[in-house]
Amino acid sequence: MKSILFIFCALVAGLLTFSLNDSNPFRSVREVHAAAKSSPSPLMATEQEVKGFFDQYIERYNKKDTEGFLWLFSLKAKQNQQDGLPEIRKIYSDYFSQMISLQNSFEDMKIEIYQNAAEVKARYSVNQVLKNGGEKRVLKGSGRWVLIKEGGMLKILSFDYRHEKTP
């Protein structure tokens, strides 16, 4: 009789422990596993990491550091939904070589971070001084970047931009 009472108390104690930790202690292993899978995964990056990435982006762009700037792009990168990494390399190599100085800045940056990517939208302004004749120009427009993690680092998967027409 004592052993039956002991077993009963042990079962009740075990059920109380389960019910305190789980709303349904009688769920199957499959149900518990499915619930664990459906719980949200951590976000791909923090807002601070994304802002740090763009600090590097602006620094390398303004220094006309072609290799350092291109290192920020994924091997699968697309620019304006058409140019792949080889074309992006040529575009920025040619562009940087034509400039005496560049000063890129962002305004109204909006960052949305998901489990597998981050989307950043911003307005940009680029003050340029061209080598040919020392002409000064300002480009303004809006851009959209999609960042992913590649090798543990943030990289640009896609970059779409549109310059505003100057009067």
Side-chain angles (χ1 to χ4, degrees):
M1 182 68 173
K2 285 183 179 181
S3 61
I4 291 175
L5 185 56
F6 175 76
I7 291 171
F8 177 75
C9 287
L11 284 172
V12 169
L15 290 176
L16 279 175
T17 304
F18 279 121
S19 65
L20 292 174
N21 296 327
D22 191 345
S23 60
N24 183 1
F26 299 104
R27 292 191 303 173
S28 70
V29 171
R30 180 180 293 162
E31 289 171 329
V32 170
H33 186 64
K37 276 188 169 180
S38 67
S39 65
S41 299
L43 299 178
M44 180 203 66
T46 65
E47 189 169 317
Q48 194 61 34
E49 287 175 298
V50 173
K51 287 180 178 178
F53 175 87
F54 278 96
D55 288 344
Q56 289 179 25
Y57 179 99
I58 288 171
E59 178 185 345
R60 293 172 185 191
Y61 186 99
N62 290 346
K63 287 182 177 179
K64 303 181 293 172
D65 176 3
T66 305
E67 291 307 311
F69 184 71
L70 291 171
W71 182 83
L72 299 172
F73 286 79
S74 165
L75 296 174
K76 301 175 275 186
K78 290 286 185 191
Q79 181 168 279
N80 287 331
Q81 301 175 14
Q82 63 185 9
D83 298 319
L85 196 54
E87 293 85 6
I88 294 169
R89 174 178 299 283
K90 179 162 178 29
I91 289 167
Y92 285 101
S93 293
D94 293 348
Y95 175 70
F96 289 161
S97 71
Q98 295 173 23
M99 300 298 151
I100 292 173
S101 67
L102 291 168
Q103 189 62 44
N104 190 352
S105 62
F106 296 129
E107 296 175 356
D108 301 326
M109 187 178 275
K110 292 174 181 58
I111 300 171
E112 291 188 34
I113 303 170
Y114 306 101
Q115 294 171 359
N116 59 353
E119 179 183 45
V120 179
K121 294 179 182 177
R123 301 216 15 91
Y124 62 84
S125 177
V126 182
N127 294 312
Q128 307 171 320
V129 179
L130 281 72
K131 284 182 181 176
N132 190 5
E135 179 187 349
K136 294 180 181 180
R137 292 192 298 194
V138 177
L139 295 177
K140 292 185 177 195
S142 57
R144 176 183 174 268
W145 296 259
V146 175
L147 307 179
I148 59 170
K149 276 227 173 146
E150 225 175 57
M153 306 294 291
L154 290 175
K155 300 283 185 170
I156 299 168
L157 179 63
S158 68
F159 171 43
D160 300 299
Y161 65 90
R162 187 173 59 229
H163 299 311
E164 294 173 353
K165 297 210 185 277
T166 53

